[in-house]
Amino acid sequence: MKRRDYWSAETNPETGKKFEQFLDYINLAHNGYMDVDKFIDSEYGEAFAQRLQIRFLYEDDAMGEECLAYYRSIGLKKEMYHEDDYYSRWVVFTPLEAESHPDRKYPLIISQHGGGSSIETEEFSCGYPEIAAREGFMLLMLQNTNWDCVKETLELVKEKYPVDCERIYMSGLSQGGSQTNTALQRMPELLTAVAPNSCDFYRTTDNFDVQFTEEEKSRVKKAVVPFIQTVGACDASYYVPLNFWQPRKSWDGKIGNPETFHHPQFDNEKDPTWIHDPEKGFRDAARLKMKKEPHWWMPHPSSPAPGVDVHRWAVARLNNRLESLGCAVRDVDQCIAYEKQPEDEYHHLLGFYADKEEVREIFGCKHYFADCFNEEGVNTFRFVVVDNFPHWQSLMMAELCWDFFRQFKRDQSTGKLVCENYKKSEQ
């Protein structure tokens, strides 16, 4: 199938209508600067469409025999728990080889879906299952992504499955990224590394707008939980550059709908991840919030207080994140100056400087890497910007996150982070 043929019901009668719906979402989910035609016609866009094609073929019956056979064909076993209750469901993927290696322990990635999305959308969009089969790790996905639910489910999974408790990682997109940030604050000792993608870079509140305490912030710093974030250069929420801030692009009351699978039990008013009020309950608070701002029931992106210098506020957030990871803070004035230096492509796009800087072309698409190291020389911070990409799971997100995750483990006897710092070629 040719690159453009995927995106039309006329040239792709099997899944073309779903592609057309998703294309409508892409056209709304960027900040006005994405070249959508260039994306579709590119090598990167073709590989992205091939992943979508797999999703669209299987998502409507993701626990059906054809889908389970697909996972077996790549080396994974998929199991779902609480299948009859949409918001209580969770899914575990394990390498098929685990059945013949009962004494082996496997790393675990917890992958958190975006706001309003389903497990089905997450499993076929994130890219982790295929890597789990190839690299030999487990994968956990929950419909209820609240940190306390994740913690409870994680304990069940550790009892039932051969989890390597020294290698538990968490990744998320958008609201799932915010949930990952919350889990980082609330249970840092249980996590080895995290990847909050396409979301606020640094937050002082959880997804229910509850402030993190000083004790929680101290625990995060003491635990040292390496952090990677991937984000599209054309994300509608303007997450880059990090030396600037502006409100999310207006979608004129429309947010697009990337969900081409519709579970019969889906009901926004029952979603436990909604904003809630301890006195009124989350449904009443969410209804009030949506009445004022339709389509918005998640915590707002962080924003500076009135009268605060946007640039200094933005760089301060970056420095808060770096400081929490034991990295040296960036010079505020130097970062701010990049806004007026468009000829400096790298720093103008990212808005800050890193200890190690690199631009890689992957499937013909530029990926801008920024690495920072703590006092012990450990790469605890990585930031990756994907050129000409909107608010969604980028094609290489899972690959990049796993490549970062895999070098870290947390010693169970001491709780200390250990960096093995190896590459795939060394296996």
Side-chain angles (χ1 to χ4, degrees):
M1 191 179 295
K2 296 180 180 178
R3 292 173 180 176
R4 280 199 166 267
D5 289 347
Y6 285 103
W7 298 90
S8 168
E10 183 177 346
T11 53
N12 179 10
E14 187 172 21
T15 60
K17 287 185 178 180
K18 290 191 173 192
F19 271 94
E20 289 176 350
Q21 178 182 327
F22 196 83
L23 182 58
D24 286 342
Y25 168 77
I26 289 178
N27 282 314
L28 289 167
H30 67 83
N31 60 7
Y33 296 101
M34 180 180 177
D35 188 332
V36 178
D37 287 331
K38 179 181 177 181
F39 167 75
I40 290 175
D41 290 330
S42 69
E43 178 188 2
Y44 186 92
E46 181 178 27
F48 184 84
Q50 289 169 351
R51 177 177 294 169
L52 277 181
Q53 176 78 339
I54 294 173
R55 167 185 158 185
F56 295 156
L57 287 173
Y58 294 124
E59 65 180 353
D60 290 338
D61 190 14
M63 287 303 294
E65 181 51 39
E66 287 189 11
C67 184
L68 297 182
Y70 164 74
Y71 283 123
R72 287 195 298 270
S73 74
I74 64 172
L76 287 181
K77 179 181 180 180
K78 177 187 177 184
E79 298 171 281
M80 177 176 283
Y81 293 82
H82 305 295
E83 187 171 359
D84 294 335
D85 186 341
Y86 181 74
Y87 289 103
S88 297
R89 304 178 307 153
W90 49 279
V91 166
V92 174
F93 296 87
T94 52
L96 288 178
E97 67 174 47
E99 297 177 355
S100 55
H101 295 85
D103 297 328
R104 186 175 297 177
K105 299 291 185 181
Y106 294 87
L108 173 69
I109 292 181
I110 304 167
S111 184
Q112 304 274 69
H113 65 77
S117 287
S118 64
I119 290 174
E120 288 77 7
T121 295
E122 176 68 12
E123 68 179 277
F124 294 114
S125 298
C126 66
Y128 282 117
E130 290 75 12
I131 303 170
R134 185 190 75 214
E135 298 285 330
F137 61 80
M138 296 175 54
L139 189 60
L140 170 63
M141 298 180 181
L142 303 90
Q143 192 60 50
N144 180 350
T145 57
N146 290 335
W147 78 272
D148 49 353
C149 179
V150 172
K151 185 178 181 180
E152 180 181 348
T153 306
L154 176 58
E155 293 306 313
L156 294 174
V157 172
K158 286 159 62 175
E159 290 177 6
K160 186 176 176 63
Y161 292 91
V163 177
D164 181 351
C165 295
E166 294 189 328
R167 299 177 183 274
I168 298 176
Y169 314 98
M170 186 178 292
S171 175
L173 173 84
S174 193
Q175 188 194 24
S178 296
Q179 297 279 43
T180 300
N181 264 322
T182 296
L184 167 64
Q185 296 292 143
R186 296 276 158 74
M187 54 182 204
E189 299 84 0
L190 297 180
L191 301 173
T192 306
V194 295
N197 300 293
S198 300
C199 65
D200 271 334
F201 184 77
Y202 181 84
R203 291 188 64 89
T204 58
T205 63
D206 66 13
N207 63 303
F208 292 143
D209 284 339
V210 175
Q211 288 282 335
F212 296 129
T213 67
E214 291 303 314
E215 190 272 338
E216 287 172 334
K217 295 176 185 177
S218 177
R219 284 171 54 200
V220 169
K221 190 171 183 178
K222 182 179 179 181
V224 186
V225 185
F227 179 104
I228 177 173
Q229 183 175 72
T230 65
V231 63
C234 298
D235 194 302
S237 294
Y238 294 104
Y239 291 127
V240 290
L242 295 180
N243 63 356
F244 191 64
W245 173 89
Q246 55 185 318
R248 175 190 289 264
K249 183 194 77 171
S250 171
W251 286 351
D252 299 322
K254 301 177 181 179
I255 61 171
N257 187 6
E259 294 293 297
T260 52
F261 165 75
H262 304 285
H263 194 283
Q265 292 182 21
F266 174 82
D267 182 352
N268 269 338
E269 294 190 5
K270 294 180 180 179
D271 191 332
T273 66
W274 268 19
I275 284 284
H276 75 288
D277 184 295
E279 296 180 358
K280 297 180 180 179
F282 72 85
R283 292 196 184 104
D284 288 343
R287 287 195 188 100
L288 179 61
K289 196 172 185 69
M290 288 191 74
K291 184 176 181 180
K292 293 180 179 179
E293 301 172 75
H295 307 294
W296 194 264
W297 61 90
M298 295 167 279
H300 283 87
S302 300
S303 58
V308 172
D309 183 275
V310 166
H311 299 85
R312 294 189 177 279
W313 174 87
V315 179
R317 293 173 71 215
L318 167 65
N319 282 334
N320 285 336
R321 175 57 70 201
L322 291 174
E323 190 176 28
S324 75
L325 294 163
C327 301
V329 299
R330 308 292 103 168
D331 181 87
V332 176
D333 291 327
Q334 184 174 343
C335 292
I336 290 174
Y338 292 138
E339 187 199 3
K340 297 180 180 180
Q341 298 174 11
E343 70 281 0
D344 183 350
E345 177 186 293
Y346 180 95
H347 296 108
H348 183 70
L349 175 63
L350 271 67
F352 72 104
Y353 58 95
D355 300 332
K356 179 182 177 182
E357 302 174 348
E358 183 181 5
V359 181
R360 303 181 202 167
E361 281 206 7
I362 307 175
F363 287 99
C365 175
K366 285 186 178 180
H367 290 63
Y368 299 80
F369 287 74
D371 288 315
C372 295
F373 300 83
N374 67 9
E375 293 178 353
E376 298 176 357
V378 177
N379 180 198
T380 55
F381 172 87
R382 174 168 289 173
F383 189 67
V384 185
V385 179
V386 183
D387 191 34
N388 197 40
F389 198 78
H391 185 74
W392 192 246
Q393 321 233 29
S394 61
L395 177 63
M396 296 299 293
M397 182 197 76
E399 194 80 54
L400 296 172
C401 291
W402 170 244
D403 196 46
F404 182 76
F405 287 163
R406 67 202 304 269
Q407 63 187 320
F408 301 109
K409 70 177 184 178
R410 187 169 301 284
D411 188 286
Q412 285 294 285
S413 61
T414 64
K416 298 293 185 181
L417 181 74
V418 178
C419 179
E420 297 181 329
N421 199 26
Y422 61 89
K423 298 296 183 181
K424 295 175 187 175
S425 60
E426 297 174 1
Q427 285 192 314

